[in-house]
Amino acid sequence: STSAAGVSIKATMGAGGNRVMSVAASTTIAGATIKAGTTDFDGQQSSGADIKDSDFMTVGYSVGGFNLGWGHYDSGTDTMTQIGASTSVGGLGVGVSSASADNGSAADTDSFGVHVSGDLGGAFWVVDYVNTDNGDGTESDDYTITFGTGF
């Protein structure tokens, strides 16, 4: 890993027969944190097909307690793009998110979520609502409640 001109760069290379190589970089421009990376798998699946390379890019920006984020992931066969926004209201964390997946030859998937979280001293809780359109004429509404502790 190294840094040059305000950009942090990290690279890894695997050992053995398949020399998987990953490279990622991050920087901050005008207050936005930008990260990107790629993985070159340089190998084949047991079926003989090449393993597809994976790429990602994210952008995050925070101003006045309001946070925005965008991310894109490409697995070589499928892609996923997600956006989100969050802030604090009355001591609670509140956020919304939207995601869209291009699943190659399968039906595309879209989702929308609303997220609320709180602090219980040494513990926390999160309530998530996510609506998913499966792209095949079906849709689901899912609610999740999570409790946890942190150290």
Side-chain angles (χ1 to χ4, degrees), residues 78-103:
D78 304 338
T79 63
M80 169 73 77
T81 302
Q82 184 169 358
I83 60 171
S86 66
T87 191
S88 294
V89 177
L92 299 176
V94 180
V96 295
S97 62
S98 177
S100 179
D102 178 349
N103 298 317

Side-chain angles (χ1 to χ4, degrees), residues 9 12 18 26 35-37 44 47 57 60 70 83-84 92 105 121 128 148:
I9 301 167
T12 63
N18 291 335
S26 65
K35 297 181 180 186
Q44 294 182 330
S47 66
M57 182 172 183
W70 172 88
I83 60 171
L92 299 176
S105 60
D128 292 308

Side-chain angles (χ1 to χ4, degrees), residues 5 27 31 33 45 49-50 61 82 89 93 108 113 117 125 136 140-141:
T27 190
T33 301
Q45 300 174 11
D50 285 339
Y61 186 75
Q82 184 169 358
V89 177
D108 293 348
S117 62
W125 59 269
D136 60 2
S140 65
D141 292 306

